[in-house]
C-alpha cells in the first residue's frame, strides 16, 4: 500500500491534521486508529468546555470529536479502525496489524504522529503496597463510567489534582459517590482553575495541597489511606498523618506522550516534554515525519491541539509537494529561561514562518502579575504582561514574524519576570 | 457593600474576577471579556451550571450515551436533574442533539444527546 500522508491516531490531533491536509490539496491520505471508533480520548470526556477558541461555543468532548469525524467522512478521507501501528521505519514504511487485514505494510511520503499520551500510574509515582481492587487511574475510571457504564466505587480519594482527577471528582459525585478529598503533593493544583471551581468548590470537595498519601490500607479491596503533609522539599512532615476511609483511589498524576513509535522511526525526543523536538512546521528531526497533539506535548485545551495539528497537516502537504527544501535557511533555536519549563516548537526556520509565530509553553510556578520577556539574541523584542500564570495552564505567546525574520537571529529566549510585590 | 473574589468558569482561561455589590449595582473587575461580567453577576444572584452526564442506551456498541442540559441549570437543581436523567433509557440509533428529556423540571431546558450512536442490530 502507498499513501502520500499517513496519520497515526484518529483522535483530535489526527483528525484535524488529516482534514487540513486534505483541504490543502493532498487527497491520498490514510488515518490509522487502534480503537473501534474515531475520536480518541474525547469520546470519554463527556464534560463541556471544549471548542471555545475553534468554534466559539462550548461543546462536550464527543460533540467536538464528531464535528471533525463528520468532516473527515464528508471529505472521503480513508481510515482504518482496530488497526494498531507496531513499527515506523526512518524511510516511512509503516507496519500495522488488524483483525481484518492481518499484518500490513504501508509506504508513506509523509507521516503525521498523533498517538496522544497515556496516564502515569501508581507505579510511576512509586507508592508501595499490595495490589487490592479499587485502585485505578482517573482516565480509566472515566472510560468505565462514561462509556461502559460501570461505577468504580462509593467512597473515593483522588490523588493528584490534574484536570482528569478534578473532572472525575465531580463526575463521581454526580453519580452518587462520596469524594472524600483530592490530595495534591505540590502547593498548587496541576489542573485548570475553572475545574477547581466547578468540580471541587461547587460540591465542597476538599483540595489538600501540599499533602501526599503515605499508606494504602486494604484487604481484597482498598479500605483507606493515610495522608500526610509535606514540607517545601516535598518530604513528609512527621506527626501530620491522618486517615481517610475509602474504597477507591483514583490517580491523576500526569500524562506521558506515547512515543515508542517515534523512537523506532529515529525521531529525537525532548527530555522535558517527552515528545518530539519539532520545528515551526511541527516537523520532527526526521524530515517528513510530523508530530502534533498530546504525543508532542501534553495539552490542557483541545483547541490548541487542533490549531497545532492543522499546522502539521498543512506542512505535511508542503513536504509531499516538495515545497520544503531543507534547513539551509536561518534556523532560530527557542530556549526557555527563568520560570519556563519548555517551549514548543524548539526550532524556527524563518523561511517557513507564517505572519505570526505561536510559541506554546508552560511556566514552572504559580505567578501573580508577571511579564513574559521575549528576547532575540539577548535583545528584548516583546513583553507580555499576565495577571495569573500556573504550570497547569499552557501559555501560547504570539509574536510577529517581522520581529525575527531577516535579522540572522540564532536564539529566541522567553523568561518570566515577576513583578515585585 | 459586599465583595467576592471569583474564578470565571465561562471558558478555560479562568479569569480571576472581583465583584462588588453596592446598593443593588455590581462592579466587576479582572474579567477579560463581557461574559466574565455576566458570570460574576449571575454567580452572586443565581449561579447556574451545564450538567453533562450519561443515560443508559440499548442496541448500541456502548452501554452509555453522553448527554447534557441544553442550557445551564440553577446549581441548586443539579441533583434533582441527575435523579430524573438516571431514570431514562434510550435506544440506538441516536443523533447528536436528539432530545432525551424535554423541559426537565419545568426549567425550559432539554436533556440532549452529545454524540451519535448507531444501532447494532
Amino acid at each position: 500500500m502507498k499513501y502520500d500522508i499517513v496519520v497515526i491516531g484518529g483522535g483530535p490531533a489526527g483528525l484535524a491534521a488529516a482534514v487540513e491536509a486534505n483541504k490543502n490539496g493532498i487527497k491520498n491520505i490514510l488515518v490509522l486508529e487502534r480503537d473501534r471508533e474515531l475520536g480518541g480520548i474525547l469520546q470519554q470526556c463527556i464534560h463541556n468546555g471544549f471548542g471555545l477558541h475553534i468554534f466559539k461555543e462550548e461543546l462536550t468532548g464527543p460533540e467536538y470529536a464528531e464535528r471533525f469525524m463528520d468532516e473527515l467522512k464528508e471529505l472521503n478521507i480513508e481510515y482504518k479502525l482496530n488497526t494498531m501501528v507496531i513499527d515506523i521505519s526512518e524511510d516511512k514504511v509503516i507496519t500495522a496489524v488488524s483483525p481484518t487485514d492481518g499484518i500490513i505494510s504501508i509506504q508513506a511520503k509523509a507521516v503525521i504522529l498523533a498517538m496522544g499520551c497515556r496516564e502515569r500510574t501508581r507505579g510511576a509515582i512509586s507508592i508501595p503496597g499490595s495490589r487490592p481492587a479499587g485502585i485505578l487511574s482517573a482516565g480509566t475510571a472515566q472510560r468505565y463510567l462514561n462509556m461502559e457504564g460501570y461505577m468504580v466505587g462509593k467512597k473515593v480519594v483522588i490523588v493528584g489534582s490534574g484536570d482528569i482527577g478534578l473532572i472525575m471528582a465531580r463526575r463521581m459525585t454526580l453519580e452518587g459517590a462520596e469524594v472524600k478529598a483530592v490530595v495534591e503533593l505540590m502547593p498548587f493544583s496541576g489542573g485548570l482553575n475553572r475545574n477547581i471551581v466547578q468540580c471541587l468548590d461547587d460540591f465542597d470537595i476538599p483540595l489538600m495541597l501540599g499533602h501526599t498519601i503515605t499508606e494504602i490500607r486494604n484487604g481484597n479491596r482498598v479500605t483507606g489511606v493515610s495522608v500526610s503533609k509535606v514540607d517545601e522539599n516535598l518530604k513528609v512532615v512527621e506527626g501530620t498523618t491522618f486517615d481517610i476511609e475509602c474504597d477507591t483511589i483514583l490517580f491523576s498524576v500526569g500524562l506521558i506522550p506515547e512515543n515508542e513509535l517515534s523512537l523506532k522511526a529515529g525521531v529525537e525526543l525532548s527530555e522535558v516534554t517527552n515528545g518530539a523536538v519539532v520545528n515551526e512546521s511541527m516537523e520532527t528531526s526526521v524530515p517528513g515525519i510530523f508530530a502534533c497533539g498530546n504525543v508532542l506535548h501534553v495539552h490542557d485545551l483541545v483547541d490548541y491541539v487542533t490549531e497545532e495539528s492543522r499546522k502539521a497537516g498543512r506542512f505535511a502537504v508542503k513536504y509531499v509537494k516538495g515545497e520544503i527544501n531543507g534547513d539551509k535557511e536561518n534556523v532560530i533555536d527557542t530556549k526557555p529561561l527563568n520560570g519556563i519549563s519548555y517551549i514548543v516548537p524548539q526550532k524556527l526556520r524563518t523561511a517557513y514562518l507564517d505572519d505570526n509565530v505561536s510559541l506554546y509553553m508552560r511556566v514552572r510556578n504559580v505567578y501573580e502579575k508577571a511579564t513574559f520577556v521575549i528576547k532575540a539574541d539577548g535583545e528584548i523584542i516583546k513583553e507580555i504582561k499576565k495577571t495569573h500564570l500556573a504550570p497547569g495552564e499552557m501559555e501560547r505567546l504570539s509574536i510577529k514574524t517581522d520581529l525575527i525574520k531577516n535579522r540572522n537571529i540564532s536564539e529566541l529566549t522567553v523568561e518570566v519576570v515577576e513583578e515585585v510585590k | 457593600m459586599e465583595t467576592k473574589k471569583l474564578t470565571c468558569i465561562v471558558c478555560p482561561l479562568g479569569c480571576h474576577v472581583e465583584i462588588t455589590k453596592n446598593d443593588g449595582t455590581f462592579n466587576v473587575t479582572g474579567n477579560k471579556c463581557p461574559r466574565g461580567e455576566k458570570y460574576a453577576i449571575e454567580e452572586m444572584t443565581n449561579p447556574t451550571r451545564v450538567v453533562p452526564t450519561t443515560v443508559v442506551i440499548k442496541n448500541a456498541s456502548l452501554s452509555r450515551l453522553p448527554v447534557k442540559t441544553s442550557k445551564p441549570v440553577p446549581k441548586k437543581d443539579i441533583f434533582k436533574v441527575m435523579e430524573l436523567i438516571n431514570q431514562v433509557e434510550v435506544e440506538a440509533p441516536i443523533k447528536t442533539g436528539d432530545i432525551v428529556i424535554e423541559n426537565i423540571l419545568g426549567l425550559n431546558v432539554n436533556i440532549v444527546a452529545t454524540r451519535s450512536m448507531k444501532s447494532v442490530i
Side-chain angles (χ1 to χ4, degrees), chain A residues 188-216:
Chain A
F188 49 82
S189 163
L192 295 172
N193 247 315
R194 72 188 311 241
N195 285 337
I196 295 171
V197 174
Q198 63 182 357
C199 298
L200 301 187
D201 298 354
D202 272 8
F203 302 101
D204 298 318
I205 298 167
L207 173 59
M208 297 176 179
L209 297 173
H211 283 78
T212 189
I213 58 171
T214 40
E215 194 192 339
I216 297 173

Side-chain angles (χ1 to χ4, degrees), chain A residues 167-405:
Chain A
I167 291 286
M168 282 308 289
R170 172 177 63 179
R171 189 71 194 109
M172 296 289 291
T173 306
L174 284 178
E175 291 295 353
E178 187 192 348
V179 178
K180 302 269 186 127
V182 175
V183 179
E184 168 63 55
L185 180 72
M186 302 301 286
F188 49 82
S189 163
L192 295 172
N193 247 315
R194 72 188 311 241
N195 285 337
I196 295 171
V197 174
Q198 63 182 357
C199 298
L200 301 187
D201 298 354
D202 272 8
F203 302 101
D204 298 318
I205 298 167
L207 173 59
M208 297 176 179
L209 297 173
H211 283 78
T212 189
I213 58 171
T214 40
E215 194 192 339
I216 297 173
R217 282 188 303 287
N218 58 276
N220 287 330
R221 189 171 179 109
V222 173
T223 56
V225 290
S226 297
V227 176
S228 309
K229 236 185 207 166
V230 297
D231 62 19
E232 59 272 21
N233 300 316
L234 308 182
K235 295 278 178 244
V236 170
V237 180
E238 264 184 61
T240 59
T241 307
F242 56 94
D243 293 343
I244 303 176
E245 191 202 329
C246 63
D247 56 33
T248 304
I249 305 168
L250 301 185
F251 282 94
S252 175
V253 290
L255 302 165
I256 311 167
E258 200 166 338
N259 272 301
E260 285 75 9
L261 288 173
S262 318
L263 286 170
K264 285 188 176 176
V267 166
E268 183 196 342
L269 299 187
S270 152
E271 277 177 27
V272 188
T273 59
N274 289 310
V277 171
V278 292
N279 62 26
E280 78 301 321
S281 312
M282 302 297 139
E283 187 183 30
T284 67
S285 60
V286 180
I289 298 186
F290 297 78
C292 53
N294 278 352
V295 78
L296 179 57
H297 57 138
V298 176
H299 295 64
D300 24 74
L301 299 188
V302 74
D303 297 72
Y304 288 171
V305 169
T306 299
E307 196 178 272
E308 192 180 275
S309 307
R310 283 176 172 167
K311 184 169 267 186
R314 194 151 52 84
F315 277 91
V317 167
K318 282 186 195 245
Y319 177 85
V320 170
K321 287 182 175 170
E323 291 168 14
I324 289 179
N325 313 307
D327 287 355
K328 276 165 253 147
E329 304 80 2
N330 180 201
V331 182
I332 301 174
D333 289 318
T334 62
K335 197 173 157 192
L337 292 180
N338 183 43
I340 304 207
S341 54
Y342 73 82
I343 302 173
V344 167
Q346 289 87 350
K347 290 175 189 300
L348 306 170
R349 296 174 302 178
T350 55
Y352 303 109
L353 292 176
D354 300 325
D355 292 346
N356 288 290
V357 187
S358 289
L359 300 175
Y360 301 88
M361 64 195 71
R362 281 184 195 275
V363 295
R364 289 185 191 278
N365 275 305
V366 175
Y367 300 98
E368 302 297 335
K369 289 195 180 166
T371 305
F372 282 111
V373 179
I374 306 169
K375 292 179 186 168
D377 284 345
E379 180 202 329
I380 296 176
I381 56 165
K382 190 169 182 178
E383 291 179 302
I384 302 164
K385 279 195 167 51
K386 294 272 177 176
T387 48
H388 176 80
L389 294 171
E393 303 182 11
M394 186 191 288
E395 295 292 328
R396 184 190 56 169
L397 306 185
S398 181
I399 52 171
K400 286 211 179 343
T401 299
D402 290 344
L403 291 169
I404 53 171
K405 208 171 179 175

Side-chain angles (χ1 to χ4, degrees), chain B residues 82-102:
Chain B
M82 279 299 294
E83 213 174 289
L84 290 172
I85 293 174
N86 282 342
Q87 292 166 17
V88 171
E89 227 180 79
V90 297
E91 232 172 274
I94 289 275
K95 282 254 171 243
T96 300
D98 282 358
I99 295 173
V100 171
I101 304 175
E102 222 173 307

